[in-house]
Short mmCIF file of all heavy atoms in Angstrom, two decimals:
data_model
loop_
_atom_site.label_atom_id
_atom_site.label_comp_id
_atom_site.label_asym_id
_atom_site.label_seq_id
_atom_site.Cartn_x
_atom_site.Cartn_y
_atom_site.Cartn_z
N VAL C 1533 20.49 15.88 -0.11
CA VAL C 1533 20.84 16.42 -1.42
C VAL C 1533 19.88 15.91 -2.48
O VAL C 1533 19.37 16.66 -3.31
CB VAL C 1533 22.30 16.05 -1.77
CG1 VAL C 1533 22.56 16.19 -3.24
CG2 VAL C 1533 23.24 16.93 -1.01
N TRP C 1534 19.60 14.62 -2.44
CA TRP C 1534 18.67 14.03 -3.40
C TRP C 1534 17.30 14.67 -3.28
O TRP C 1534 16.72 15.11 -4.28
CB TRP C 1534 18.57 12.53 -3.10
CG TRP C 1534 18.41 11.69 -4.30
CD1 TRP C 1534 19.39 11.09 -5.01
CD2 TRP C 1534 17.18 11.36 -4.94
NE1 TRP C 1534 18.85 10.39 -6.05
CE2 TRP C 1534 17.50 10.53 -6.03
CE3 TRP C 1534 15.85 11.66 -4.71
CZ2 TRP C 1534 16.55 10.02 -6.87
CZ3 TRP C 1534 14.90 11.14 -5.57
CH2 TRP C 1534 15.25 10.34 -6.63
N GLY C 1535 16.79 14.75 -2.04
CA GLY C 1535 15.45 15.29 -1.85
C GLY C 1535 15.36 16.75 -2.22
O GLY C 1535 14.41 17.19 -2.88
N GLY C 1536 16.38 17.54 -1.82
CA GLY C 1536 16.35 18.96 -2.12
C GLY C 1536 16.43 19.21 -3.61
O GLY C 1536 15.68 20.03 -4.17
N LEU C 1537 17.31 18.49 -4.30
CA LEU C 1537 17.45 18.69 -5.74
C LEU C 1537 16.19 18.25 -6.47
O LEU C 1537 15.71 18.93 -7.39
CB LEU C 1537 18.65 17.89 -6.23
CG LEU C 1537 19.12 18.18 -7.65
CD1 LEU C 1537 19.48 19.62 -7.76
CD2 LEU C 1537 20.31 17.31 -7.97
N PHE C 1538 15.61 17.14 -6.03
CA PHE C 1538 14.38 16.66 -6.66
C PHE C 1538 13.27 17.69 -6.52
O PHE C 1538 12.56 18.02 -7.48
CB PHE C 1538 13.97 15.35 -5.99
CG PHE C 1538 12.59 14.93 -6.33
CD1 PHE C 1538 12.30 14.40 -7.56
CD2 PHE C 1538 11.57 15.08 -5.41
CE1 PHE C 1538 11.02 14.02 -7.87
CE2 PHE C 1538 10.29 14.70 -5.73
CZ PHE C 1538 10.01 14.17 -6.95
N SER C 1539 13.13 18.23 -5.32
CA SER C 1539 12.06 19.18 -5.10
C SER C 1539 12.28 20.46 -5.87
O SER C 1539 11.33 21.07 -6.38
CB SER C 1539 11.97 19.46 -3.61
OG SER C 1539 10.68 19.81 -3.26
N THR C 1540 13.54 20.89 -5.97
CA THR C 1540 13.83 22.11 -6.73
C THR C 1540 13.45 21.93 -8.19
O THR C 1540 12.78 22.78 -8.79
CB THR C 1540 15.33 22.44 -6.65
OG1 THR C 1540 15.74 22.36 -5.30
CG2 THR C 1540 15.60 23.82 -7.18
N ILE C 1541 13.88 20.80 -8.78
CA ILE C 1541 13.56 20.57 -10.19
C ILE C 1541 12.05 20.43 -10.36
O ILE C 1541 11.47 20.91 -11.35
CB ILE C 1541 14.30 19.32 -10.69
CG1 ILE C 1541 15.79 19.51 -10.57
CG2 ILE C 1541 13.94 19.04 -12.14
CD1 ILE C 1541 16.59 18.37 -11.09
N ASP C 1542 11.39 19.81 -9.39
CA ASP C 1542 9.94 19.64 -9.48
C ASP C 1542 9.24 20.99 -9.48
O ASP C 1542 8.38 21.26 -10.32
CB ASP C 1542 9.49 18.81 -8.27
CG ASP C 1542 8.12 18.22 -8.48
OD1 ASP C 1542 7.79 17.92 -9.64
OD2 ASP C 1542 7.39 18.07 -7.51
N CYS C 1543 9.61 21.85 -8.56
CA CYS C 1543 9.01 23.18 -8.51
C CYS C 1543 9.32 23.95 -9.78
O CYS C 1543 8.47 24.68 -10.30
CB CYS C 1543 9.52 23.96 -7.30
SG CYS C 1543 8.63 23.58 -5.82
N GLY C 1544 10.53 23.79 -10.29
CA GLY C 1544 10.88 24.46 -11.54
C GLY C 1544 10.00 24.00 -12.69
O GLY C 1544 9.49 24.79 -13.49
N LEU C 1545 9.75 22.69 -12.75
CA LEU C 1545 8.91 22.16 -13.83
C LEU C 1545 7.47 22.64 -13.69
O LEU C 1545 6.81 22.94 -14.68
CB LEU C 1545 8.92 20.63 -13.80
CG LEU C 1545 10.09 19.98 -14.50
CD1 LEU C 1545 10.00 18.50 -14.33
CD2 LEU C 1545 10.08 20.34 -15.96
N VAL C 1546 6.99 22.70 -12.43
CA VAL C 1546 5.63 23.18 -12.21
C VAL C 1546 5.50 24.61 -12.72
O VAL C 1546 4.53 24.99 -13.36
CB VAL C 1546 5.27 23.09 -10.72
CG1 VAL C 1546 4.10 23.97 -10.39
CG2 VAL C 1546 4.96 21.67 -10.36
N ARG C 1547 6.51 25.39 -12.44
CA ARG C 1547 6.49 26.78 -12.88
C ARG C 1547 6.52 26.89 -14.40
O ARG C 1547 5.80 27.68 -14.98
CB ARG C 1547 7.71 27.44 -12.28
CG ARG C 1547 7.81 28.84 -12.60
CD ARG C 1547 7.65 29.67 -11.42
NE ARG C 1547 7.58 31.03 -11.93
CZ ARG C 1547 7.47 32.05 -11.17
NH1 ARG C 1547 7.40 31.85 -9.90
NH2 ARG C 1547 7.41 33.23 -11.69
N VAL C 1548 7.33 26.04 -15.02
CA VAL C 1548 7.46 26.14 -16.48
C VAL C 1548 6.22 25.61 -17.17
O VAL C 1548 5.68 26.25 -18.08
CB VAL C 1548 8.72 25.35 -16.92
CG1 VAL C 1548 8.68 25.07 -18.40
CG2 VAL C 1548 9.96 26.12 -16.58
N ARG C 1549 5.74 24.43 -16.73
CA ARG C 1549 4.61 23.82 -17.43
C ARG C 1549 3.29 24.45 -17.04
O ARG C 1549 2.35 24.43 -17.81
CB ARG C 1549 4.54 22.34 -17.08
CG ARG C 1549 5.57 21.53 -17.75
CD ARG C 1549 5.42 20.11 -17.34
NE ARG C 1549 4.38 19.47 -18.12
CZ ARG C 1549 3.63 18.48 -17.67
NH1 ARG C 1549 3.79 18.06 -16.45
NH2 ARG C 1549 2.74 17.92 -18.43
N GLY C 1550 3.20 24.92 -15.83
CA GLY C 1550 1.96 25.53 -15.39
C GLY C 1550 0.93 24.56 -14.90
O GLY C 1550 -0.19 24.93 -14.62
N LYS C 1551 1.26 23.29 -14.76
CA LYS C 1551 0.27 22.40 -14.15
C LYS C 1551 0.99 21.34 -13.35
O LYS C 1551 2.16 21.05 -13.58
CB LYS C 1551 -0.63 21.78 -15.21
CG LYS C 1551 0.00 20.74 -16.06
CD LYS C 1551 -1.04 20.26 -17.06
CE LYS C 1551 -0.59 18.98 -17.69
NZ LYS C 1551 -1.51 18.51 -18.67
N GLU C 1552 0.28 20.78 -12.40
CA GLU C 1552 0.91 19.79 -11.52
C GLU C 1552 0.45 18.40 -11.91
O GLU C 1552 -0.74 18.12 -11.96
CB GLU C 1552 0.52 20.08 -10.08
CG GLU C 1552 0.81 21.51 -9.68
CD GLU C 1552 1.29 21.62 -8.27
OE1 GLU C 1552 1.52 20.57 -7.65
OE2 GLU C 1552 1.47 22.73 -7.79
N ASP C 1553 1.36 17.52 -12.15
CA ASP C 1553 1.15 16.27 -12.85
C ASP C 1553 2.03 15.19 -12.25
O ASP C 1553 3.05 15.51 -11.69
CB ASP C 1553 1.66 16.51 -14.28
CG ASP C 1553 0.62 16.12 -15.26
OD1 ASP C 1553 -0.46 15.78 -14.82
OD2 ASP C 1553 0.93 16.14 -16.44
N PRO C 1554 1.72 13.91 -12.41
CA PRO C 1554 2.75 12.92 -12.08
C PRO C 1554 3.95 12.97 -13.00
O PRO C 1554 5.03 12.55 -12.61
CB PRO C 1554 2.03 11.58 -12.23
CG PRO C 1554 0.61 11.87 -12.10
CD PRO C 1554 0.42 13.25 -12.64
N TRP C 1555 3.76 13.49 -14.22
CA TRP C 1555 4.89 13.58 -15.13
C TRP C 1555 6.01 14.43 -14.56
O TRP C 1555 7.19 14.16 -14.78
CB TRP C 1555 4.46 14.20 -16.46
CG TRP C 1555 3.95 13.22 -17.44
CD1 TRP C 1555 2.73 13.22 -18.01
CD2 TRP C 1555 4.64 12.11 -18.01
NE1 TRP C 1555 2.61 12.18 -18.88
CE2 TRP C 1555 3.77 11.48 -18.90
CE3 TRP C 1555 5.92 11.58 -17.85
CZ2 TRP C 1555 4.13 10.36 -19.63
CZ3 TRP C 1555 6.28 10.45 -18.57
CH2 TRP C 1555 5.39 9.87 -19.44
N ASN C 1556 5.62 15.49 -13.83
CA ASN C 1556 6.64 16.34 -13.23
C ASN C 1556 7.54 15.55 -12.32
O ASN C 1556 8.76 15.70 -12.32
CB ASN C 1556 6.00 17.45 -12.39
CG ASN C 1556 5.34 18.48 -13.23
OD1 ASN C 1556 5.48 18.46 -14.44
ND2 ASN C 1556 4.63 19.39 -12.61
N SER C 1557 6.92 14.68 -11.51
CA SER C 1557 7.72 13.93 -10.54
C SER C 1557 8.67 12.98 -11.24
O SER C 1557 9.84 12.86 -10.85
CB SER C 1557 6.82 13.11 -9.63
OG SER C 1557 5.98 13.94 -8.92
N ILE C 1558 8.18 12.31 -12.29
CA ILE C 1558 9.03 11.33 -12.95
C ILE C 1558 10.20 12.02 -13.63
O ILE C 1558 11.36 11.59 -13.53
CB ILE C 1558 8.20 10.50 -13.94
CG1 ILE C 1558 7.13 9.75 -13.18
CG2 ILE C 1558 9.07 9.56 -14.71
CD1 ILE C 1558 6.24 8.94 -14.04
N THR C 1559 9.91 13.12 -14.31
CA THR C 1559 10.99 13.84 -14.98
C THR C 1559 11.97 14.40 -13.96
O THR C 1559 13.19 14.35 -14.18
CB THR C 1559 10.40 15.00 -15.81
OG1 THR C 1559 9.23 14.56 -16.44
CG2 THR C 1559 11.39 15.47 -16.82
N SER C 1560 11.44 14.91 -12.85
CA SER C 1560 12.37 15.44 -11.83
C SER C 1560 13.26 14.35 -11.29
O SER C 1560 14.44 14.57 -11.05
CB SER C 1560 11.60 16.04 -10.66
OG SER C 1560 10.58 16.84 -11.10
N GLY C 1561 12.69 13.18 -11.08
CA GLY C 1561 13.50 12.07 -10.58
C GLY C 1561 14.60 11.71 -11.55
O GLY C 1561 15.76 11.51 -11.16
N ALA C 1562 14.25 11.67 -12.84
CA ALA C 1562 15.26 11.33 -13.83
C ALA C 1562 16.36 12.39 -13.88
O ALA C 1562 17.56 12.07 -13.91
CB ALA C 1562 14.61 11.17 -15.20
N LEU C 1563 15.96 13.66 -13.86
CA LEU C 1563 16.96 14.72 -13.93
C LEU C 1563 17.84 14.74 -12.69
O LEU C 1563 19.04 14.98 -12.77
CB LEU C 1563 16.27 16.07 -14.09
CG LEU C 1563 15.74 16.33 -15.48
CD1 LEU C 1563 14.99 17.64 -15.51
CD2 LEU C 1563 16.87 16.36 -16.46
N THR C 1564 17.23 14.48 -11.53
CA THR C 1564 18.03 14.43 -10.30
C THR C 1564 19.06 13.32 -10.38
O THR C 1564 20.24 13.52 -10.03
CB THR C 1564 17.13 14.17 -9.09
OG1 THR C 1564 16.04 15.06 -9.13
CG2 THR C 1564 17.89 14.32 -7.81
N GLY C 1565 18.63 12.15 -10.84
CA GLY C 1565 19.57 11.05 -11.00
C GLY C 1565 20.70 11.42 -11.92
O GLY C 1565 21.87 11.18 -11.64
N ALA C 1566 20.36 12.10 -13.03
CA ALA C 1566 21.38 12.47 -13.99
C ALA C 1566 22.36 13.47 -13.40
O ALA C 1566 23.57 13.32 -13.53
CB ALA C 1566 20.72 13.05 -15.24
N VAL C 1567 21.84 14.48 -12.71
CA VAL C 1567 22.72 15.51 -12.17
C VAL C 1567 23.64 14.94 -11.11
O VAL C 1567 24.83 15.25 -11.06
CB VAL C 1567 21.86 16.66 -11.58
CG1 VAL C 1567 22.68 17.54 -10.69
CG2 VAL C 1567 21.25 17.45 -12.70
N LEU C 1568 23.11 14.03 -10.29
CA LEU C 1568 23.94 13.52 -9.21
C LEU C 1568 25.01 12.57 -9.71
O LEU C 1568 25.95 12.27 -8.99
CB LEU C 1568 23.08 12.85 -8.15
CG LEU C 1568 22.36 13.89 -7.31
CD1 LEU C 1568 21.43 13.23 -6.35
CD2 LEU C 1568 23.37 14.70 -6.53
N ALA C 1569 24.85 12.04 -10.92
CA ALA C 1569 25.88 11.15 -11.45
C ALA C 1569 26.75 11.87 -12.45
O ALA C 1569 27.48 11.23 -13.21
CB ALA C 1569 25.24 9.94 -12.10
N ALA C 1570 26.70 13.20 -12.46
CA ALA C 1570 27.37 13.95 -13.52
C ALA C 1570 28.86 13.76 -13.54
O ALA C 1570 29.50 13.94 -14.56
CB ALA C 1570 27.04 15.44 -13.38
N ARG C 1571 29.43 13.40 -12.37
CA ARG C 1571 30.88 13.25 -12.36
C ARG C 1571 31.35 12.00 -13.06
O ARG C 1571 32.52 11.86 -13.34
CB ARG C 1571 31.35 13.15 -10.92
CG ARG C 1571 31.38 14.47 -10.25
CD ARG C 1571 31.58 14.23 -8.80
NE ARG C 1571 32.61 15.10 -8.28
CZ ARG C 1571 33.17 14.95 -7.10
NH1 ARG C 1571 32.80 13.95 -6.34
NH2 ARG C 1571 34.07 15.77 -6.68
N SER C 1572 30.43 11.07 -13.31
CA SER C 1572 30.89 9.79 -13.85
C SER C 1572 30.70 9.69 -15.34
O SER C 1572 30.81 8.61 -15.87
CB SER C 1572 30.14 8.65 -13.18
OG SER C 1572 30.03 8.88 -11.82
N GLY C 1573 30.37 10.77 -16.02
CA GLY C 1573 30.28 10.68 -17.46
C GLY C 1573 28.88 10.45 -17.96
O GLY C 1573 27.99 10.10 -17.21
N PRO C 1574 28.65 10.65 -19.26
CA PRO C 1574 27.30 10.63 -19.82
C PRO C 1574 26.60 9.29 -19.71
O PRO C 1574 25.39 9.24 -19.46
CB PRO C 1574 27.50 11.00 -21.29
CG PRO C 1574 28.92 11.27 -21.50
CD PRO C 1574 29.67 10.98 -20.27
N LEU C 1575 27.33 8.19 -19.86
CA LEU C 1575 26.66 6.90 -19.79
C LEU C 1575 26.12 6.63 -18.40
O LEU C 1575 24.98 6.19 -18.23
CB LEU C 1575 27.64 5.79 -20.19
CG LEU C 1575 26.98 4.49 -20.63
CD1 LEU C 1575 26.09 4.77 -21.81
CD2 LEU C 1575 28.03 3.47 -20.99
N ALA C 1576 26.95 6.95 -17.40
CA ALA C 1576 26.47 6.78 -16.02
C ALA C 1576 25.31 7.70 -15.74
O ALA C 1576 24.39 7.36 -15.00
CB ALA C 1576 27.61 7.04 -15.04
N MET C 1577 25.34 8.90 -16.35
CA MET C 1577 24.24 9.84 -16.14
C MET C 1577 22.94 9.26 -16.68
O MET C 1577 21.89 9.38 -16.06
CB MET C 1577 24.52 11.17 -16.85
CG MET C 1577 25.45 12.06 -16.09
SD MET C 1577 25.87 13.50 -17.04
CE MET C 1577 24.42 14.48 -16.85
N MET C 1578 23.01 8.63 -17.86
CA MET C 1578 21.78 8.09 -18.42
C MET C 1578 21.25 6.93 -17.56
O MET C 1578 20.06 6.83 -17.31
CB MET C 1578 22.02 7.60 -19.84
CG MET C 1578 22.36 8.73 -20.75
SD MET C 1578 21.51 8.63 -22.30
CE MET C 1578 21.94 6.99 -22.78
N GLY C 1579 22.17 6.05 -17.15
CA GLY C 1579 21.72 4.95 -16.31
C GLY C 1579 21.11 5.45 -15.01
O GLY C 1579 20.06 4.98 -14.57
N SER C 1580 21.75 6.43 -14.43
CA SER C 1580 21.26 7.01 -13.19
C SER C 1580 19.92 7.69 -13.41
O SER C 1580 19.03 7.62 -12.56
CB SER C 1580 22.29 8.02 -12.73
OG SER C 1580 22.23 8.19 -11.38
#
Side-chain angles (χ1 to χ4, degrees):
Chain C
V1533 161
W1534 215 94
L1537 191 59
F1538 167 75
S1539 208
T1540 312
I1541 299 182
D1542 198 32
C1543 276
L1545 276 177
V1546 161
R1547 182 113 188 182
V1548 163
R1549 285 179 82 210
K1551 72 181 195 182
E1552 307 217 7
D1553 232 6
W1555 273 121
N1556 288 352
S1557 299
I1558 298 179
T1559 319
S1560 314
L1563 285 176
T1564 311
V1567 164
L1568 285 175
R1571 282 168 133 193
S1572 317
L1575 200 59
M1577 281 174 77
M1578 295 224 307
S1580 206

